[in-house]
Amino acid sequence: MNRCGRVVIGLVLMGMVLFSGQAWAGLNVGEIPIQHHGRIKPFSAFAQETLQYITGKKRWHGEGASLFLIRRLNAPQQFLTIPFIRIDHPELKKILGLSAEENYFSEEKIKLSLNTLSGIVQSVGEKRNKDLRPSTMEQQAETVYGRVMVVEHLSTGELMTVIPGADGKAWVSPYVVSSKESETFKRLAQDIAGNAPGVQQELSSWVNNVSGFLGKNMWSRVRMEAGYYVFQPFFYAGVFYFLGFLFLLFKSVGVQRLGKIVLVAGFLAHAAGILLRWVILLRPPVANMYETMIFMDLVLMLAVGVFVLFQKRSSLLSSGAIVSALVMLYANLLPVDQSLDVVTPVLRSSYWLTIHVITIISSYSLFAFATGVSHRHLFLSVQGKLTPEEDQMSAHSILRLLQAGLIALGAGTILGGVWANEAWGRFWGWDPKETWAFITFLGYMAILHLRYSKKLTNFGLAVGSILGFLLVMMTWYGVNFILGRGLHSYGSGSGGLVWVVYFLIFELGFLAFVFGRRKKI
Amino acid sequence: MMALLRMLGSARSTAIISGGLIILLIVSTSMEAIHGTPFAQKVFYQAQWFDFLVALLWVNIFCSTVIRFPFKKNQIGFLITHIGILILLIGALITRTYSLEGEVALYEGESTDFAKQSAYSLAVVFPNQEDERFDLRKGNFAVVMTKARLDAKAQFCPLQNKRGPKASSVAGSGDKLAFTITDILERAVQRIHVAPGNVNGTVNRAARVTVKSRTLNLNSTLWLVEHDPYNPLSGENAAGPVSLKLSEVKTAALSQTPVLHVLDRSGNELLAIDMEKKPIPEIIAVPKTDVEINKLAYYPYAAVGAGKKIINAPEGRTRNPAVEFDVKDKKGGITHEIRFAFFPEFASMHPSDKPVHTDLQFKFEAGEHNDQGALPQGLQVGIHYADNGVWTYETQFQDKTLGSGALASGTCAPSGWMDVEFCADELLSRARVSYDIGASTDMTGVLAAMVTVPSVSGAEPFWVLEDKETTVRTPAGTIAFVLTAKTLPLPFSLALKKFRRIDYPGTDTPASFESDVSLKDAKNGITMERTISMNRPLMYDGYKIFQSSYMQDAQYGNGSVFSVAKNPGIPWIYIGSVFACIGALFQFYGVKEKDAA
């Protein structure tokens, strides 16, 4: 274990050197502080969020987001001619008279049918006012319209709010306000584009000035955020969890040990990422869909750790690892906003936010773990590879997880009611999220009651736990992204249905396979 | 008895009730996604049968607990949990029955001692401004028309500022006036009705057009009417990104160019000057008068430049044709004149002192082909009629004509843009327009009640609309019917001193809103000064006051909208919840699980 520990620490240190080395190589344009969406953030974060919003990509033709933006600032009008505004929806492309083969278009080209686009956006607004749901095409049109607007603001340079405003005032763009600082920044941008000699000094003098203005704490948060984007903790955590799962499938003790080490490394990266978000945002990172997903995943790995360390059930490690890896994968596949953002006033009371959301998330993570163990249970069971003793142990683990999950879900839902009573003066209002939490609660309740009245075998318990998790998926993701209504719209958005359907198909297919095999036995 | 308990508390009943509840809730949330929250609340959650279902769940849990008496030691967790849930559900019942909710909207400096509830009542307002309120339901009602009530001079205060319901049940002497609420619509809208008039009726063209598009999910039918006394823009309408316009095709060619008309007092044209026929002479004499027009200048893209001078600024500006000239009489008197084609009222807003041409009018017209300069949005469908009764259409997109042709009643035509198609359902040349009140088909509309007052001659039923007075002349005097929010009297008065909204810097995303309020309880002599913000309500005497919204108005300044709630069920719910959680912990972890095979 001692050796293991050293190896892990060594790995993490090596990783840090690697990541930070990347950050220090060449010009670090990304550290220029900028005000964007109500926060002071590093230019790299702003650039990546903006580029990703417009193109759906983190880089554009091999060029990193920060350099891509800053190199074009000497003639920002050219943003209008770059074909980089993403439009996927075939019908929308047809309506706007754009080529069906291409996926990226310039602002100039879209502008030719801007009337149509704004017409659709207008009718979407009317629909929303009438409480009607816009179609997928119309939602895409809204997004494209937003992208066009951002590109227009890029082309005027007004998004580049890099000159600090005193006393909490809004920062200004050098391309809008003329001053001595404006000239300095414009020259800096030009020199970066032209790779002029002495640009390094220019850049550090700009960054030094602004960081001096920001003060030590805020400046270190800006730097941490720049590091967060380079470090990509959740990407590595996901990869490590998956590798760990693969290694754990081997019989060799050595490979298994390696798997465990990789899992610990993944967990450390994961925890570091969440800690970073927490420190940067000065609030617990549980305020939108992406944040709840990665947070839930961390709690899931904690639960796995507890089971392995205290219950000596290391056979469950692989189930936990694969579920964690899949949650990470889904957090990246689903159309959820990953950016670090400010929150609405009602979420600023971090006390209730923390307690309610973390309790609920814990219940989801326990149910997710249970569904992982259940898959293993059923798979081994129909293969005839589950000894009676193992069968009993595994079912016991599932039951324990479901019990703990149910208590967390119940308590979390009630705490949500307490918060609602504090914030809106009502404890329960049959909001879709509340209603679905209740449905999920009833579902798991039914499973436990059947188990207690001895009507559910170990096999049935595992099946029930898998079905129960489908309810969790609906409560967690479906209410916001598929039903799209209600008060819990913080993590809201649309789409991603196809991934949920894939998951559903997989689960139903798995259950069909299990039942089919079981009949044969 | 025991058998009944056993039946109600059986596992099978539990399964049926919770299974039914799960299916029902899946249906209700799906319906909410389609039809909206108010629909789901009304049809499901606030319905009485839903309460019955929850009550059934209570009975089931109660019975299943009772039939296990006497309890064994290892059932302590089970018992505590189930008692907890029963208490929680009682709390829910208390909330349903006794909780109070209202809304208070205050601008800075205002105060109130009542809250508005979401339910409405029908108020009858008497000439002395006293009112009597009735629950809004179908049925027969009566008010007593006392002498005092009919005395218009004895006004004490208008309805809006009144302190809660001052319903006087003291009948006193006077005639009883009966009235009936015959119908209630939750979302009522004005519906237009267009009927073909008789052959000798006034000429008034109207077209009923249906616009359809599968991709835009569009299928709406609307009327375009040439003249509608209630709607000056009745010739235009829109369905999503499609705008429609009814217009006349003039058989005689109209002037296509901007023209300045000079008219005499009685409107006879003395002179017409075509602005695009160049060159414009320096001096133009106005026939039949002794004045002349000097220095006539034409600006197709007029803008007011420095020194308030009219300049021509074509680059990027919208068209705004204007003329500027001097009127000179024989005695040497000069008046400077400016006319904008699109803003004819400009001249009357800026009259010249001592004009030399009191007998003349100047009218400047931009010419037929000019629109108002605004870029057309989306698809334009023009429905045209001509003197000879022929109807035609023209579709345009971004100033490009996509299609045109003849139009007859009952025919459809593709627009040429996307899959938008439109149909002329009805084409009328002598349309008569009328309106009525009906149920809205979408989420728009206001509350409306249909009232009949039999004693009024004719006794035609009439609609009373939300927040709008409807006066009725009765033999005894004139009264008014108003639908007004029910009020919730508060045992204190609340004053808003200051509202603050703080945005995240550089954005208009609010970071917080808060209100400085002062609460005065005159009866107990208590005054409190507090700040209410999101998640930080003010609690007093069982009432909770929350910041729920805010108002920012150019005229009235800043204001806050507070929710006021009193919920005596909350302690029950909290205690029940704590019981349930502790019991579950006991049940799951206190007792060694005996695993089922």
Side-chain angles (χ1 to χ4, degrees), chain A residues 35 37-38 91 95 112-113 115-116 118-120 122-123 126-127 130-131 133 137-138 168 170 342-343 345-346 348-349 392 396 399-400 403-404 407 411 414 418-419 421-425 427 429-430 432 435-436 438-439 442-443 448-449 451-452 454-455 457 483 485, chain B residues 11 18 21-22 25-26 29-30 32-34 36-38 41 45 50 82 85 88 214-217 240-241 376-378 397-398 417-418 442-444 504-507 510-513 534-535 537 544 546 565 570 573-574 577 581 584-585 587-589 593 595-597:
Chain A
Q35 188 175 58
H37 287 174
E91 209 156 24
I95 292 166
L112 295 176
S113 357
N115 286 336
T116 317
S118 56
I120 299 171
Q122 207 183 321
S123 76
E126 279 164 26
K127 275 191 183 172
K130 290 179 184 170
D131 218 2
R133 286 240 292 165
M137 188 277 287
E138 289 169 320
V342 295
V343 292
V346 73
R348 296 230 314 169
S349 151
Q392 215 45 258
H396 183 72
L399 187 67
R400 277 294 188 231
Q403 287 172 337
I407 290 181
I414 287 164
V418 175
W419 181 15
N421 186 45
E422 290 298 308
W424 302 296
F427 180 84
W430 295 107
T435 309
W436 269 94
F438 184 57
I439 293 172
L442 282 178
L448 287 192
H449 275 78
R451 178 72 177 183
Y452 280 124
K454 302 195 182 357
K455 288 194 177 82
T457 59
L483 291 183
R485 282 201 190 272
Chain B
S18 41
L21 209 53
I22 288 178
L25 293 176
I26 290 174
T29 47
S30 310
E32 183 169 356
I34 299 164
T37 306
Q41 287 287 342
Y45 310 126
F50 196 84
H82 286 77
I85 293 172
L88 195 154
R214 202 187 49 80
T215 37
L216 288 175
N217 190 16
Q377 285 260 331
F397 188 72
Q398 287 163 7
W417 182 68
M418 290 173 57
D442 49 38
M443 303 307 286
T444 57
Y504 285 110
T507 67
S512 75
F513 5 91
M534 241 355 168
N535 288 330
K544 268 189 179 174
F546 314 87
I570 285 292
I573 292 174
Y574 285 4
S577 305
C581 288
L585 282 172
Q587 175 68 17
F588 295 159
Y589 303 107
E593 192 217 356
D595 244 312

Side-chain angles (χ1 to χ4, degrees), chain B residues 301 313-318:
Chain B
Y301 299 89
E315 61 286 335
R317 305 283 304 229
T318 48

Side-chain angles (χ1 to χ4, degrees), chain A residues 145-433:
Chain A
Y145 190 77
R147 288 177 179 154
V148 169
M149 289 301 124
V150 168
V151 172
E152 283 189 0
H153 290 156
L154 272 179
S155 75
T156 55
E158 63 194 282
L159 272 188
M160 303 293 154
T161 42
V162 291
I163 299 173
D167 309 323
K169 283 209 186 76
W171 289 28
V172 292
S173 160
Y175 300 90
V176 173
V177 172
S178 61
S179 67
K180 216 179 86 201
E181 288 90 11
S182 299
E183 291 315 307
T184 316
F185 185 83
K186 282 181 184 169
R187 198 171 334 111
L188 172 65
Q190 253 171 36
D191 289 349
I192 292 170
N195 215 353
V199 62
Q200 185 75 61
Q201 278 87 11
E202 253 182 280
L203 178 64
S204 36
S205 112
W206 175 271
V207 171
N208 280 342
N209 277 339
V210 182
S211 62
F213 172 86
L214 287 177
K216 211 175 148 198
N217 281 340
M218 197 184 245
W219 170 235
S220 65
R221 285 207 300 276
V222 170
R223 288 195 55 175
M224 263 186 242
E225 192 170 348
Y228 169 86
Y229 277 93
V230 179
F231 174 35
Q232 297 183 21
F234 304 122
F235 171 74
Y236 289 104
V239 170
F240 285 5
Y241 289 155
F242 187 67
L243 284 179
F245 165 72
L246 286 182
F247 292 156
L248 286 171
L249 295 180
F250 285 85
K251 274 213 172 111
S252 145
V253 180
V255 180
Q256 286 218 357
R257 180 169 294 166
L258 185 67
K260 284 178 192 167
I261 293 167
V262 171
L263 281 187
V264 172
F267 182 79
L268 289 180
H270 194 162
I274 286 185
L275 211 63
L276 267 177
R277 275 188 95 108
W278 198 318
V279 173
I280 293 164
L281 293 169
L282 295 174
R283 60 166 174 80
V286 286
N288 62 35
M289 185 57 72
Y290 181 71
E291 288 180 344
T292 58
M293 285 178 103
I294 53 171
F295 202 98
M296 171 274 207
D297 213 17
L298 189 79
V299 180
L300 169 58
M301 283 312 279
L302 267 179
V304 173
V306 167
F307 258 77
V308 172
L309 292 179
F310 295 97
Q311 303 248 332
K312 306 283 178 233
R313 305 274 294 125
S314 55
S315 55
L316 304 182
L317 206 49
S318 59
S319 317
I322 186 62
V323 175
S324 293
L326 284 174
V327 172
M328 279 294 180
L329 182 70
Y330 259 70
N332 277 293
L333 286 178
L334 294 172
V336 293
D337 187 6
Q338 302 190 3
S339 54
L340 291 88
D341 252 328
V342 295
V343 292
T344 55
V346 73
L347 292 183
R348 296 230 314 169
S349 151
S350 50
Y351 174 71
W352 286 114
L353 173 76
T354 317
I355 294 197
H356 161 60
V357 182
I358 289 179
T359 318
I360 287 281
I361 284 174
S362 304
S363 82
Y364 293 172
S365 68
L366 293 165
F367 290 139
F369 190 17
T371 202
V373 177
S374 301
H375 279 85
R376 176 179 176 273
H377 184 102
L378 293 181
F379 187 74
L380 293 180
S381 160
V382 295
Q383 304 275 342
K385 285 180 181 163
L386 214 55
T387 61
E389 198 184 51
E390 180 85 7
D391 185 71
Q392 215 45 258
M393 284 285 275
S394 172
H396 183 72
S397 300
I398 296 171
L399 187 67
R400 277 294 188 231
L401 284 169
L402 294 191
Q403 287 172 337
L406 193 63
I407 290 181
L409 180 64
T413 308
I414 287 164
L415 285 167
V418 175
W419 181 15
N421 186 45
E422 290 298 308
W424 302 296
R426 100 260 187 296
F427 180 84
W428 191 266
W430 295 107
D431 173 74
K433 198 87 165 178

Side-chain angles (χ1 to χ4, degrees), chain B residues 540-555:
Chain B
Y540 183 77
D541 193 21
Y543 288 86
K544 268 189 179 174
I545 305 154
F546 314 87
Q547 180 88 45
S548 73
S549 185
Y550 61 90
M551 310 175 280
Q552 286 183 316
D553 191 291
Q555 196 182 346

